[in-house]
Amino acid sequence: MEERIRKQLAFSLEIDKEKNIFRQTHLSGHGRNENDAEHAWHMAIMAYLFREYANEEVDIAKVMLMCLIHDIVEIDAGDTYAYDEEGLKTQKEREDRAKERIFSLLPEDQKTELIGLFDEFEAYQSAESKYAHAMDNLQPILLNNSNEGGDWREHGVTSHTVYGRQRKTKLGSEKLFEVVDQIIQENVRKGNLPE
């Protein structure tokens, strides 16, 4: 077997482990915790569906690939809950180590390409990364809303904390931030998100 395809197959098998990284967010209908691969797939489809609401024109294929790879590093680094202040302090360091190990399984050109895409997503500067982050914020809020705010209540999350994360959504999509704002306000009224 050629070295290049052997490396691509090794990477393909390694990323299967993303299916075993469970998030705090539950599937709609009060289902089990979702895994990272489901989250990434869901984000990628949503990015395509809502692309007309991006603040700027985006390369949708690039956005979708960002969505699909952004949590691969959690195979090693683990999932860091969006509202876990302690975990967030070490997240970048853990993810940088994981990024190097996991993407190094690939041939050098693909490693460079995917690390560049991952770093672009993390930098939050390009139109594509801002829009991809809007999906990363919108997807769990949709699930949480469908479950009557159960994950927020379980972790004692406040509306102030949710707004702190969701304000960045408007950098990628003003329109989708309006939707997020309505969801947050509805959950405040229902008592799912104390102020």
Side-chain angles (χ1 to χ4, degrees):
M1 184 182 306
E2 294 173 14
E3 179 71 3
R4 182 174 180 82
I5 199 165
R6 188 193 63 73
K7 287 183 171 187
Q8 291 165 328
L9 289 169
F11 177 80
S12 297
L13 187 57
E14 183 68 14
I15 64 172
D16 183 66
K17 294 175 182 175
E18 190 177 3
K19 298 172 189 171
N20 291 314
I21 307 302
F22 287 90
R23 296 166 45 82
Q24 296 299 315
T25 309
H26 287 76
L27 301 176
S28 61
H30 303 280
R32 63 164 168 76
N33 293 68
E34 75 172 339
N35 66 47
D36 272 359
E38 293 164 332
H39 166 64
W41 163 83
H42 203 181
M43 280 175 59
I45 297 291
M46 289 171 58
Y48 181 81
L49 294 176
F50 299 127
R51 68 190 184 278
E52 67 196 83
Y53 306 118
N55 289 345
E56 303 172 65
E57 190 170 323
V58 295
D59 175 343
I60 197 60
K62 185 177 186 181
V63 171
M64 292 173 76
L65 189 52
M66 279 183 180
C67 292
L68 291 170
I69 70 160
H70 82 288
D71 277 345
I72 285 175
V73 294
E74 293 185 0
I75 291 167
D76 288 359
D79 177 59
T80 303
Y81 185 48
Y83 307 112
D84 175 4
E85 291 180 24
E86 282 305 305
L88 291 170
K89 290 176 185 175
T90 62
Q91 181 180 17
K92 180 171 177 12
E93 177 187 329
R94 289 181 285 118
E95 290 186 353
D96 282 348
R97 279 195 312 269
K99 170 184 72 174
E100 185 58 33
R101 185 195 72 80
I102 296 166
F103 290 119
S104 288
L105 295 171
L106 286 165
E108 194 61 34
D109 63 315
Q110 289 183 323
K111 171 190 173 183
T112 300
E113 177 188 7
L114 292 187
I115 284 180
L117 204 55
F118 178 87
D119 289 345
E120 181 179 338
F121 175 82
E122 290 295 311
Y124 223 117
Q125 297 297 312
S126 68
E128 286 81 10
S129 66
K130 291 174 188 174
Y131 180 60
H133 271 284
M135 296 304 105
D136 198 19
N137 291 341
L138 177 61
Q139 189 269 347
I141 207 170
L142 285 179
L143 292 181
N144 219 335
N145 185 53
S146 79
N147 292 320
E148 288 90 43
D151 296 319
W152 291 323
R153 288 195 316 274
E154 179 182 336
H155 295 282
V157 176
T158 66
S159 63
H160 175 76
T161 308
V162 175
Y163 271 122
R165 177 174 174 85
Q166 291 294 332
R167 280 192 183 93
K168 289 187 171 181
T169 298
K170 74 170 82 166
L171 298 176
S173 174
E174 293 275 349
K175 181 66 174 175
L176 293 177
F177 178 76
E178 292 173 16
V179 172
V180 163
D181 184 47
Q182 291 171 11
I183 291 170
I184 293 170
Q185 288 305 311
E186 178 183 334
N187 279 276
V188 168
R189 283 191 297 278
K190 290 179 177 177
N192 297 331
L193 273 173
E195 293 186 274

